[in-house]
Amino acid sequence: MLSIIIVLLVNLLIETSVSLTVKVPGDPVVSHVGSTMILPCWISPPESAEALEIRWYRHNQFSNPVLLYNHGKIQDVQEESHRNRSSLTLRSDQSGGLKDGDVSLRLEKLRVQDDGSFRCYVSGENSYSSEEVVLKITALGSSPVLSPKPLDDGRVNISCGSSGWYPEPSITWTSDEGRTLHPGGTSHSRGADKMFSVHSWTAVSLSDAQLVSCSVSLRSGELKEGRLNIQGIVSSGPWKALFLTFLICALLGSVGFILYKYREKLTGKKPVKEICDEETMERLSKEETNTEEPKKEPDCEEGTQQKLRKEVVEDVNIEELRKHAVEITINREIIHPDLMVTKDCKNMRDQPEYHHIGEEFPFQLCAFGAQSFSSGRHYWEVELVQMNTSPKNFWIIGVMKDGNSLLKNRSALTPSAGFWFLCSDGPYGFYTNTDSSIRFSLTPRPERLGVLLDYDDGQLSFYNVTENKHLLTISSRFSGSVVPLFNPGIRSLITILDCPKPVEPAESSQPLLSNNSDSGLTNEVKSEGLI
Ligand SMILES: *[C@@H]1O[C@H](CO)[C@@H](O)[C@H](O)[C@H]1NC(C)=O
Ligand SMILES: *[C@@H]1O[C@H](CO)[C@@H](O)[C@H](O)[C@H]1NC(C)=O
Ligand SMILES: *[C@@H]1O[C@H](CO)[C@@H](O)[C@H](O)[C@H]1NC(C)=O
Ligand SMILES: *[C@@H]1O[C@H](CO)[C@@H](O)[C@H](O)[C@H]1NC(C)=O
Ligand SMILES: *[C@@H]1O[C@H](CO)[C@@H](O)[C@H](O)[C@H]1NC(C)=O
């Protein structure tokens, strides 16, 4: 009996002395259907995983894994639906890979079925450890299609439909004054591809609203919107209205084609003022949303207007953005004592002797621009890579309410407190500080980031300058004046660049298509910037 206890104790001692622990990010990883995602998982403290067993699996599918690495190589036992889509990868550019205990999973061509948790299991001779990473899949559906049907009582029955969403979207109706209109009925359905479709109708009279908007949105804040002006429809007969609807659709279709053709010249438009007013939301447009150089909301007074959202991967014309370039310098008066700023007020980093305690991002290491803005559009660029190194892992770039004091901790950094930013937090990926934070990964990391502040429209957009790509837009409502915000993280430099400013004037607000067509019907495509 005693000997059994001794054996057990000895076993226990051996096990604890060589125990290993894996770590994963605390928050879910969010990604779009079709994209590639990294599910980070690593051994802490670092230890080589080359001789260990690494098993990624779902739910209780231990013996049917998404990926199995054993005896020094990936075993050919992958679960059917993940075959050829999964591999081991680095969780960041700085990672030493398997040798340093990085066992992160790369999953390509994401499907709706990948939504949910993945278990990262690592086993050595005497001990094992496992943790779960949650993957949230989203899919942005088609632009809502609105169609009116005049009713006998003088009202119009407008129906709105959109498909290709995940998870289930919500649909809201609003009038031109931003009032919510009550839907007469709403139905959701799910296709064989597991995507959701939504359909809703509402009956309105001219006294309720002239311009009716239907917006389909995900909980993350990503949305698509369509609008319809009912003025011409109520006054004319039903057949005329139907014919005109058809005409508008045809026109929009051809305009869409033109836009697609000229997309590198175009920048789009974020139309949803009403919704932005309600709450902060952001749009992530790595895969399918369009790039947007916002302009002042043209007020939709007359004519039927519908928004056209482009589904294609959209490039931006950085030259267009640079028309709004402003020179930004660091305000040396109020920098954190652990930061250094060069004489030209363009470069900043932490003091060499600065010692960062803890694992959390050093949120307090902030510097602000000397320029403040309370209207208009302003653009600046930041360099995130120094000669012969890989792009920085840790930084914050955004804007802040002028006069805010130095930052303390993350919980205090909210839009309502006057902070709006994108944070690159090493292995934890990128996230925004908005109320429903969007977290995502970008590989490779951007080397040069463009920032467009559109004060009047309440938008802060980020661009990958090297590749002319729109990354995401944060929408909010700014009040008072705001100043650029920078945090260089630790151990490397951030440089504010001087953008070459194009010579042409900065106005580009001519709509591509505008008022014309008889009987007061008009359609407008809010994707201006075509030159
Ligand atoms: C995986 O790739 C191999 C070789 O490229 C191919 O033969 C096989 O059909 C693929 N399997 C799946 C499930 O796509
Ligand atoms: C409005 O149109 C929808 C179909 O799009 C229909 O289901 C609904 O009954 C109509 N409502 C009225 C009041 O006619
Ligand atoms: C963060 O800051 C807020 C407000 O300044 C404070 O109430 C809170 O206790 C702080 N939290 C931590 C963990 O320091
Ligand atoms: C962004 O920029 C980097 C280099 O600056 C590039 O390698 C990367 O692929 C770019 N694309 C996206 C979509 O982030
Ligand atoms: C819109 O209509 C007004 C008045 O008819 C006209 O002056 C203006 O040029 C038109 N705009 C466009 C872009 O066609």
Side-chain angles (χ1 to χ4, degrees):
M1 186 60 193
L2 191 66
S3 62
I4 293 176
I5 291 173
I6 289 172
V7 167
L8 278 178
L9 270 178
V10 167
N11 264 341
L12 200 68
L13 280 176
I14 290 174
E15 283 205 13
T16 44
S17 64
V18 293
S19 79
L20 50 83
T21 308
V22 295
K23 295 220 160 142
V24 297
D27 289 343
V29 172
V30 182
S31 200
H32 281 124
V33 164
S35 63
T36 296
M37 195 67 203
I38 295 169
L39 305 182
C41 179
W42 63 96
I43 302 174
S44 173
E47 167 187 339
S48 171
E50 281 172 315
L52 304 178
E53 173 187 329
I54 303 161
R55 190 184 286 263
W56 280 92
Y57 64 97
R58 308 205 60 185
H59 316 298
N60 47 7
Q61 300 285 307
F62 185 84
S63 51
N64 196 12
V66 172
L67 183 136
L68 174 63
Y69 170 97
N70 209 351
H71 312 300
K73 64 176 209 276
I74 291 178
Q75 304 294 315
D76 191 17
V77 293
Q78 278 148 308
E79 198 236 321
E80 187 63 28
S81 67
H82 294 99
R83 196 162 295 157
N84 299 357
R85 292 201 295 133
S86 59
S87 53
L88 288 176
T89 190
L90 306 181
R91 69 191 162 107
S92 79
D93 309 350
Q94 266 79 52
S95 160
L98 280 183
K99 272 206 265 336
D100 277 350
D102 184 355
V103 300
S104 303
L105 178 75
R106 174 188 163 95
L107 206 53
E108 294 165 39
K109 304 191 192 94
L110 288 177
R111 305 167 180 180
V112 164
Q113 288 83 346
D114 295 326
D115 193 67
S117 58
F118 285 74
R119 190 160 276 278
C120 168
Y121 165 98
V122 176
S123 169
E125 288 286 306
N126 300 304
S127 76
Y128 72 89
S129 170
S130 82
E131 284 293 338
E132 219 160 51
V133 185
V134 176
L135 175 59
K136 286 206 164 134
I137 301 287
T138 62
L140 265 185
S142 58
S143 301
V145 174
L146 284 91
S147 47
K149 229 181 277 164
L151 298 172
D152 295 338
D153 58 7
R155 294 184 303 163
V156 187
N157 180 357
I158 305 175
S159 65
C160 171
S162 175
S163 56
W165 293 84
Y166 193 87
E168 193 170 73
S170 53
I171 189 163
T172 50
W173 291 93
T174 41
S175 69
D176 25 2
E177 295 108 33
R179 246 180 335 107
T180 307
L181 301 171
H182 291 289
T186 298
S187 61
H188 287 90
S189 59
R190 197 163 188 190
D193 56 0
K194 305 267 188 229
M195 303 278 210
F196 289 95
S197 298
V198 61
H199 182 270
S200 180
W201 66 269
T202 185
V204 290
S205 63
L206 257 182
S207 59
D208 296 329
Q210 213 172 68
L211 185 74
V212 175
S213 120
C214 164
S215 120
V216 183
S217 57
L218 294 175
R219 220 168 304 150
S220 64
E222 294 173 276
L223 63 87
K224 296 230 173 160
E225 193 198 36
R227 290 184 180 188
L228 188 71
N229 191 313
I230 61 168
Q231 201 173 29
I233 298 155
V234 176
S235 49
S236 45
W239 290 113
K240 196 168 174 194
L242 280 177
F243 171 69
L244 286 169
T245 311
F246 172 74
L247 194 73
I248 290 157
C249 291
L251 259 172
L252 279 174
S254 52
V255 167
F257 181 70
I258 295 165
L259 285 177
Y260 177 79
K261 282 284 178 198
Y262 286 91
R263 67 182 196 272
E264 59 286 345
K265 285 196 181 173
L266 281 173
T267 49
K269 164 65 187 146
K270 167 118 188 234
V272 273
K273 215 169 197 165
E274 302 84 11
I275 288 151
C276 307
D277 288 354
E278 277 167 31
E279 60 174 88
T280 307
M281 48 143 216
E282 57 279 283
R283 311 180 55 242
L284 180 67
S285 74
K286 264 187 83 194
E287 307 298 325
E288 55 263 78
T289 29
N290 51 354
T291 297
E292 312 190 334
E293 188 205 85
K295 72 157 207 163
K296 281 212 183 66
E297 181 96 342
D299 283 321
C300 317
E301 299 131 345
E302 64 218 336
T304 297
Q305 308 191 336
Q306 275 209 338
K307 299 270 158 46
L308 191 86
R309 295 303 199 95
K310 282 156 286 157
E311 315 287 340
V312 290
V313 173
E314 196 69 32
D315 294 345
V316 219
N317 186 344
I318 294 287
E319 291 313 313
E320 280 292 313
L321 297 173
R322 284 183 174 159
K323 287 181 181 169
H324 305 285
V326 279
E327 177 165 5
I328 302 289
T329 51
I330 300 296
N331 183 349
R332 285 166 60 115
E333 310 278 293
I334 41 168
I335 55 169
H336 190 274
D338 288 322
L339 282 184
M340 305 188 300
V341 173
T342 53
K343 277 229 174 58
D344 62 0
C345 298
K346 290 282 192 185
N347 297 278
M348 77 210 86
R349 60 157 294 170
D350 56 327
Q351 304 275 7
E353 59 273 19
Y354 173 69
H355 183 62
H356 184 58
I357 307 152
E359 274 195 25
E360 210 197 20
F361 187 92
F363 286 104
Q364 73 284 4
L365 289 182
C366 276
F368 319 118
Q371 293 72 20
S372 68
F373 307 109
S374 51
S375 67
R377 265 180 261 167
H378 310 280
Y379 175 77
W380 58 95
E381 288 178 9
V382 182
E383 181 82 31
L384 298 167
V385 68
Q386 301 303 323
M387 285 264 262
N388 308 326
T389 60
S390 45
K392 281 174 74 61
N393 255 330
F394 296 94
W395 45 259
I396 283 179
I397 292 173
V399 298
M400 172 191 94
K401 199 167 166 186
D402 196 5
N404 265 0
S405 54
L406 291 173
L407 322 182
K408 286 162 208 85
N409 62 42
R410 180 169 175 200
S411 56
L413 304 179
T414 59
S416 50
F419 297 94
W420 300 266
F421 59 76
L422 177 62
C423 178
S424 167
D425 194 356
Y428 300 100
F430 295 78
Y431 49 82
T432 60
N433 76 320
T434 45
D435 297 331
S436 52
S437 176
I438 280 205
R439 185 178 285 272
F440 57 101
S441 76
L442 280 179
T443 37
R445 296 177 159 267
E447 294 172 356
R448 189 174 282 199
L449 196 75
V451 184
L452 181 75
L453 166 70
D454 187 329
Y455 188 98
D456 304 323
D457 271 2
Q459 298 188 336
L460 185 67
S461 307
F462 297 92
Y463 302 89
N464 181 337
V465 177
T466 332
E467 283 202 350
N468 296 342
K469 288 272 187 327
H470 171 249
L471 298 176
L472 78 132
T473 293
I474 295 175
S475 291
S476 193
R477 202 188 263 173
F478 305 119
S479 66
S481 50
V482 299
V483 296
L485 168 68
F486 306 94
N487 180 323
I490 47 172
R491 302 288 167 261
S492 68
L493 208 62
I494 267 189
T495 304
I496 306 170
L497 296 162
D498 290 317
C499 298
K501 197 165 179 163
V503 278
E504 305 108 285
E507 259 323 292
S508 66
S509 40
Q510 272 309 65
L512 181 61
L513 253 185
S514 186
N515 52 334
N516 52 25
S517 132
D518 21 32
S519 81
L521 274 179
T522 304
N523 74 64
E524 175 172 325
V525 177
K526 302 210 165 171
S527 298
E528 52 289 314
L530 184 69
I531 17 158

